[in-house]
Amino acid sequence: MLTKLRQLVRDGEGLTVEFKRCTNELSNSVFETVSAFSNRYGGYLLLGVEDDGTISGVNPKSVRGIKRNFTNTLNNTQRFAPTLFLALEEAEIDGEIILWCYVPINSQIVMFGGKIFDRAEDGDMDITRNSNMVAHIHQRKVADYSERKIFPYAKESDFEFKRLMPLVRRLAVTYRTDHPWEKMSDDEILKSAGLFQSEPESGKSGYTLAAVLLFGRAELIRACTPNYVTDAICRRENLERYDDRLMVSVNLIDAYDQLIEFISKHTLDRFFLVDNQRVSVRSWIARELVSNILVHREFTSAFPAKIIIERDRIVTENWCLPKSPGKIDPNAFTPYPKNPLLASFFINIGRADVLGSGVRNLYKYTKIYSGGEPELIEGDVFKTIVPLELSDISMYDNGIMSDKMSDNLNLSDKMSDNLNLSDNTNISDNMSDYLNLPVKLDMSDNGIMSDKKYRAALISYLSKNGEISATEAAAIIGRTAKTARRVLLQLVDEGIIVATGANRNRKYKIIGK
């Protein structure tokens, strides 16, 4: 991103680039630019840069306060309508610190201090009293963003506010401890998030499509957007059809949880040390894929969004209105929100990142998880491909991963509590070899990880719980029952466990327990 910022400074200010002198504090003109960018085409805001491109820098002692003030002001309902969730990022150019932010276009008119600003060339204009210019902005946004469509006949009883609003507040506060939604009423949250709007031209007021998708009951969602569905498919053993399938057509908040659980069920949870913290990389990848396919799509299309989990990759597809068709380069792309209201809402509850960060995170964590890079291809159908299997690239040195990427394969979150062995657990010599795995990853000839990790997980579970079925084993290792049964039979052959019962009632136990 530093290369991109240097290029922006060299090219100078324009319709989508603004420089601001900012040494110790923010001026109102910063927020006027945010409003103007939101109302026009979006743009890059650079603080600590003079109008002529000279890097004057931001006082390092003031950086934290400036960043906090920026976020708080954008979330202040008395200053911004609707509120925005953006964050300033730091960069160092020529020895000076600058703060920058990409401001995406918003699907509704953004006001700062009760005024409407628009962007013209390299300046911001107050157009509050110019009804023609305001109407032009409104018309452009209505045409581009279906999420803003108002449904005046939708009633409060058509929504699940009572059940979902407490969850939304909890998620928002977990993401940010001083989040303003904690003390706001349901109506205030809906209005500040642009989920309840009034149309100045027609005079209509009501809940928007974004509100319907986030909080609507199933009947309301089907009535307002009958084509909305996300088709999640696992296709590993049965390649002609599928091994598992989930059709999701509930509200986006519940849909997120269901799709995350589906991916978790069918993929390995690999933990790595990232920036000296133990991180579930799979969880980050799933989060980016699910939030993207739920938020950045065109809901008026009959094309069903898809998540397809295959042996060596995850593929997602969703219909969109492409702005820059082709393969996305994470180091040289301009993020463009398909549904700014939905994107902002997901950011507020910690289920998505500030626009642009999600793409960078997906590249970062995929490389850690499998050694490969994802592909993001924008067209009428937006397609994302994430490789799953470990590849032999520079992150390995003779098969051994670096300390920062040491691989501690773990189980799904639901099963992990059962894997902590008690202090008095007696483990045979054969079993102990599997419970303390070296950093080195054993790879088969075709590059796929060997069964040793699966065996260790199953032995750990058996040592704690006594017995297991093939179905339970499949859930633990995140593979099919056929694969789980094969691994269990290997342990039987080696004299580590014994099978009892027949056919569907068969259980597996550690010998001697």
Side-chain angles (χ1 to χ4, degrees):
M1 191 60 206
L2 188 59
T3 301
K4 171 77 170 180
L5 293 174
R6 290 182 181 276
Q7 185 64 47
L8 292 174
V9 172
R10 285 195 296 269
D11 293 344
E13 292 182 309
L15 192 62
T16 58
V17 178
E18 177 71 13
F19 303 152
K20 296 288 186 185
R21 174 186 295 176
C22 180
T23 306
N24 294 300
E25 60 184 7
L26 297 170
S27 64
N28 280 340
S29 66
V30 169
F31 301 109
E32 292 172 1
T33 296
V34 171
S35 171
F37 278 160
S38 299
N39 289 330
R40 180 57 64 165
Y41 302 125
Y44 287 91
L45 174 66
L46 278 66
L47 307 182
V49 183
E50 303 291 327
D51 290 344
D52 62 0
T54 302
I55 307 296
S56 53
V58 176
N59 185 347
K61 296 181 179 179
S62 302
V63 166
R64 185 176 179 182
I66 290 172
K67 293 170 72 173
R68 183 172 58 247
N69 184 22
F70 183 79
T71 301
N72 289 343
T73 300
L74 295 181
N75 278 272
N76 186 340
T77 56
Q78 304 301 316
R79 306 292 300 279
F80 268 88
T83 56
L84 305 175
F85 200 95
L86 302 173
L88 292 170
E89 298 188 45
E90 296 179 45
E92 184 174 323
I93 299 179
D94 299 338
E96 298 284 354
I97 293 177
I98 70 166
L99 300 176
W100 69 275
C101 174
Y102 178 77
V103 181
I105 184 175
N106 201 286
S107 61
Q108 62 179 314
I109 295 176
V110 174
M111 301 177 68
F112 167 64
K115 296 180 179 180
I116 300 171
F117 294 89
D118 196 7
R119 188 73 177 170
E121 298 299 332
D122 59 352
D124 308 316
M125 301 186 301
D126 180 356
I127 63 168
T128 310
R129 298 182 182 277
N130 190 323
S131 58
N132 288 332
M133 296 185 72
V134 172
H136 180 70
I137 292 177
H138 175 75
Q139 291 167 359
R140 186 174 68 245
K141 291 178 180 293
V142 168
D144 288 345
Y145 297 102
S146 58
E147 66 171 354
R148 290 191 68 243
K149 183 178 179 180
I150 292 175
F151 293 87
Y153 299 110
K155 306 182 296 296
E156 185 175 341
S157 59
D158 295 325
F159 295 84
E160 296 194 76
F161 296 134
K162 186 175 182 180
R163 178 177 69 88
L164 293 175
M165 273 300 187
L167 172 62
V168 164
R169 286 190 180 85
R170 187 162 63 251
L171 290 171
V173 173
T174 300
Y175 180 61
R176 178 184 157 200
T177 55
D178 60 343
H179 202 291
W181 286 4
E182 181 181 19
K183 299 179 180 178
M184 292 169 65
S185 68
D186 291 357
D187 288 343
E188 287 173 334
I189 291 176
L190 291 170
K191 290 178 180 178
S192 71
L195 305 182
F196 189 96
Q197 294 186 23
S198 297
E199 240 177 38
E201 289 180 313
S202 66
K204 291 191 301 184
S205 295
Y207 298 104
T208 62
L209 178 59
V212 171
L213 290 164
L214 286 165
F215 292 100
R217 298 185 186 278
E219 301 81 4
L220 179 64
I221 294 174
R222 282 196 298 269
C224 296
T225 175
N227 298 316
Y228 160 62
V229 67
T230 303
D231 191 1
I233 300 169
C234 178
R235 185 182 291 136
R236 280 181 168 153
E237 304 294 337
N238 190 340
L239 302 183
E240 293 184 0
R241 294 192 68 210
Y242 52 82
D243 307 315
D244 193 9
R245 188 177 190 179
L246 179 66
M247 302 285 284
V248 179
S249 56
V250 296
N251 67 75
L252 298 183
I253 296 173
D254 289 337
Y256 177 91
D257 291 327
Q258 292 182 21
L259 293 170
I260 288 289
E261 185 175 351
F262 187 86
I263 293 177
S264 300
K265 178 182 177 182
H266 295 291
T267 56
L268 286 172
D269 198 2
R270 293 174 180 157
F271 284 78
F272 295 83
L273 287 176
V274 180
D275 299 328
N276 294 321
Q277 292 186 334
R278 194 165 180 262
V279 175
S280 169
V281 176
R282 191 274 310 277
S283 296
W284 274 96
I285 293 173
R287 175 178 179 265
E288 298 301 338
L289 291 176
V290 172
S291 62
N292 181 72
I293 202 170
L294 290 180
V295 170
H296 299 294
R297 65 197 272 186
E298 179 49 56
F299 289 94
T300 60
S301 170
F303 185 89
K306 301 182 185 72
I307 297 177
I308 306 170
I309 302 175
E310 300 175 350
R311 285 181 178 273
D312 58 350
R313 64 181 189 170
I314 300 178
V315 180
T316 68
E317 297 179 349
N318 58 276
W319 192 265
C320 75
L321 301 176
K323 299 295 181 181
S324 302
K327 188 175 179 179
I328 290 178
D329 180 351
N331 298 312
F333 83 106
T334 299
Y336 191 93
K338 307 300 186 297
N339 297 294
L341 295 181
L342 293 175
S344 178
F345 194 93
F346 262 53
I347 291 170
N348 271 283
I349 62 175
R351 289 185 167 180
D353 288 308
V354 175
L355 198 64
S357 298
V359 172
R360 292 192 291 272
N361 282 337
L362 191 59
Y363 271 81
K364 171 183 176 181
Y365 289 111
T366 300
K367 191 163 187 176
I368 294 173
Y369 186 84
S370 66
E373 288 190 344
E375 289 185 76
L376 292 85
I377 306 161
E378 185 172 11
D380 288 338
V381 174
F382 191 100
K383 190 172 186 178
T384 303
I385 303 171
V386 173
L388 292 179
E389 293 183 351
L390 293 164
S391 59
D392 185 16
I393 65 164
S394 59
M395 64 189 287
Y396 293 97
D397 182 12
N398 297 323
I400 301 177
M401 299 184 75
S402 64
D403 291 339
K404 286 193 175 182
M405 295 180 178
S406 61
D407 187 11
N408 292 312
L409 285 192
N410 212 333
L411 311 181
S412 65
D413 296 336
K414 289 187 176 180
M415 305 299 295
S416 60
D417 293 339
N418 295 325
L419 297 180
N420 298 317
L421 302 180
S422 58
D423 293 337
N424 60 357
T425 301
N426 293 320
I427 304 172
S428 69
D429 292 337
N430 284 342
M431 295 182 338
S432 64
D433 291 338
Y434 294 109
L435 294 178
N436 294 296
L437 299 175
V439 172
K440 183 174 180 178
L441 299 181
D442 296 306
M443 309 291 285
S444 62
D445 292 338
N446 61 0
I448 301 176
M449 189 180 300
S450 73
D451 292 335
K452 190 170 185 179
K453 300 291 185 180
Y454 303 149
R455 294 144 67 98
L458 297 180
I459 291 172
S460 296
Y461 181 85
L462 285 165
S463 298
K464 177 70 173 179
N465 297 278
E467 66 178 21
I468 195 173
S469 68
T471 301
E472 292 168 333
I476 288 176
I477 66 175
R479 304 304 290 260
T480 64
K482 180 179 178 181
T483 299
R485 194 174 294 109
R486 174 173 55 78
V487 176
L488 288 166
L489 291 176
Q490 289 176 1
L491 295 174
V492 170
D493 292 341
E494 294 173 16
I496 296 174
I497 66 174
V498 62
T500 61
N503 299 329
R504 294 185 179 180
N505 295 321
R506 180 168 294 169
K507 297 283 187 177
Y508 299 85
K509 298 180 180 180
I510 290 180
I511 293 177
K513 282 190 69 78

